[in-house]
Amino acid sequence: MHTTALVLFSGGQDSTTCLAHALERYERVETIAFDYRQRHHVELVARLEVLSQIRQQFPHWASKMGEDHLLDLAVLGSVSETSLTRDTAFKMEQSGLPNTFVPGRNLLFLTLAAAVAYRRDLQVIVTGVCETDFSGYPDCRDDTMKAMQLALSLGMDKRFLIETPLMWIDKAATWRLAHELGGRALVDLIVEHTHTCYLGERSVRHDWGYGCGHCPACELRARGWAQYVGAAAA
Ligand code: ZN
């Protein structure tokens, strides 16, 4: 029986939904994020605000929320050249992957998360990776997660469970899941406080939240929101 979890929590829509999922399910939940000199510090600020809002608005979850870990991963900026860490425009590469792809980034995140989970005695690692996402990052696929779960469990001689509540659902279903977990209040919190936009834009407010409105992350979020609201109205 699993009772404790560590959530990879970036402060976006997906990881906030994953956090709510873990808080509904487990007795003690800690959070972790990585600072790899993202172009936009706004993400790291947003995640603290989301944590604070959850504590205020969901007292039954607040009592389960434990330590929040922020690991410095500046080294990632020196090994990869992508539009998330360098000042280059977002585009799709010939490989079919967007240039936001940092090879192996998620493998590194999971390995470090497992090391923290080991030290903090947390059993489940929850991550918002998703195969239905447009990006198709190979280090977010289900097979990769299963392989990592095995590698980390063997390599640390401790049984870890990697849980991926969003793996097979689209963005509209992610909004629905948030509603199931925390009702309208959670959906509103996600709209208002989570950050997804690749350009770090938070000056324009749309129905679905803040963002530039035209980067791939904003488009995905807006499209999912439109489907979610449309289905709810129908
Ligand atoms: Zn955007």
Side-chain angles (χ1 to χ4, degrees):
M1 184 64 183
H2 296 104
T3 56
T4 56
L6 178 64
V7 180
L8 276 80
F9 178 68
S10 68
Q13 176 191 352
D14 290 350
S15 66
T16 301
T17 307
C18 285
L19 176 57
H21 162 93
L23 288 167
E24 270 297 284
R25 198 175 265 232
Y26 303 114
E27 298 306 313
R28 179 163 62 95
V29 176
E30 301 191 5
T31 43
I32 188 169
F34 307 95
D35 182 358
Y36 51 101
R37 307 295 186 266
Q38 284 105 329
R39 281 197 316 182
H40 308 294
H41 197 66
V42 60
E43 289 176 28
L44 295 175
V45 176
R47 66 184 294 284
L48 293 180
E49 184 59 25
V50 172
L51 288 177
S52 157
Q53 289 291 332
I54 289 179
R55 283 181 195 277
Q56 288 171 41
Q57 296 186 41
F58 299 90
H60 63 296
W61 285 348
S63 60
K64 300 173 166 187
M65 290 168 74
E67 229 173 271
D68 177 46
H69 311 266
L70 181 65
L71 267 56
D72 188 329
L73 264 190
V75 64
L76 255 187
S78 62
V79 296
S80 67
E81 185 147 355
T82 83
S83 69
L84 283 188
T85 50
R86 299 281 169 89
D87 201 18
T88 50
F90 181 91
K91 67 176 170 62
M92 295 301 282
E93 303 282 8
Q94 292 217 310
S95 61
L97 291 169
N99 64 347
T100 47
F101 177 60
V102 181
R105 178 178 63 183
N106 205 39
L107 306 182
L108 194 55
F109 286 179
L110 285 166
T111 304
L112 291 167
V116 169
Y118 185 98
R119 177 167 59 82
R120 302 287 303 164
D121 200 22
L122 302 166
Q123 302 155 314
V124 183
I125 298 168
V126 185
T127 167
V129 291
C130 172
E131 274 209 24
T132 57
D133 214 333
F134 73 104
S135 52
Y137 292 159
D139 58 349
C140 293
R141 290 177 191 150
D142 194 49
D143 282 352
T144 309
M145 293 303 107
K146 290 192 166 76
M148 280 305 279
Q149 177 174 289
L150 185 60
L152 293 170
S153 296
L154 290 173
M156 297 190 193
D157 198 19
K158 181 181 165 79
R159 286 286 274 271
F160 290 111
L161 177 69
I162 296 184
E163 200 168 64
T164 57
L166 312 183
M167 183 59 79
W168 307 111
I169 66 176
D170 63 14
K171 279 283 184 286
T174 302
W175 287 112
R176 280 199 295 280
L177 177 60
H179 192 272
E180 281 167 32
L181 292 165
R184 183 62 196 259
L186 183 62
V187 172
D188 288 348
L189 187 159
I190 290 172
V191 167
E192 202 60 37
H193 298 290
T194 67
H195 183 84
T196 314
C197 176
Y198 282 149
L199 302 182
E201 176 63 57
R202 284 196 77 76
S203 61
V204 186
R205 169 68 152 80
H206 311 264
D207 293 348
W208 45 265
Y210 292 90
C212 72
H214 38 76
C215 76
C218 280
E219 280 181 358
L220 194 66
R221 179 162 164 156
R223 198 178 327 128
W225 176 259
Q227 288 166 358
Y228 163 67
V229 173

